[in-house]
Amino acid sequence: MFWLYIILGTASGIGVFLFFNWLMGYRKGHIQMDFDERYMNHQAYIEAISAELRDRGYKDVHYKGDHVFIVDGKAYVFFERNVPMGGVPLQRTILKPQK
């Protein structure tokens, strides 16, 4: 019976870890960005995302509107997650390939 609790606890821990990684955008084809500064102004946020993509080496970056970026010919939908890291909220931006 004791081994069952160990196995269930381990499986639960692995499941929580995998769910957190999925939630934070760690998937094939996704682009993740973390900003130290919090952007409340939508236009400033869009400009920061565009600048970060260009800094990462993407050549052609355009904001199409309605949370859609065109990055090197591929469409990405962006969304943000706010994550507490060490008591300080971190603004994470995830660009998901649009199907």
Side-chain angles (χ1 to χ4, degrees):
M1 190 67 160
F2 177 71
W3 293 104
L4 180 62
Y5 291 126
I6 291 175
I7 292 170
L8 287 175
T10 303
S12 297
I14 291 171
V16 167
F17 176 73
L18 292 174
F19 177 72
F20 181 75
N21 280 341
W22 176 81
L23 187 66
M24 295 311 295
Y26 294 116
R27 288 174 265 173
K28 186 176 181 177
H30 288 58
I31 302 170
Q32 304 89 19
M33 293 178 234
D34 295 327
F35 293 108
D36 293 331
E37 182 179 338
R38 293 196 48 81
Y39 292 97
M40 301 297 186
N41 181 333
H42 187 70
Q43 187 59 37
Y45 189 34
I46 297 300
E47 291 169 8
I49 293 170
S50 297
E52 177 67 22
L53 287 169
R54 286 188 187 94
D55 288 346
R56 290 186 180 193
Y58 294 101
K59 304 285 185 231
D60 188 29
V61 178
H62 298 288
Y63 182 64
K64 188 175 175 181
D66 199 28
H67 292 262
V68 176
F69 274 92
I70 306 298
V71 180
D72 290 343
K74 292 183 181 178
Y76 289 88
V77 176
F78 90 88
F79 53 98
E80 71 174 283
R81 298 264 192 252
N82 292 303
V83 184
M85 293 296 241
V88 177
L90 175 75
Q91 188 174 26
R92 167 158 288 182
T93 303
I94 303 168
L95 278 80
K96 176 182 175 184
Q98 192 175 38
K99 294 180 180 180

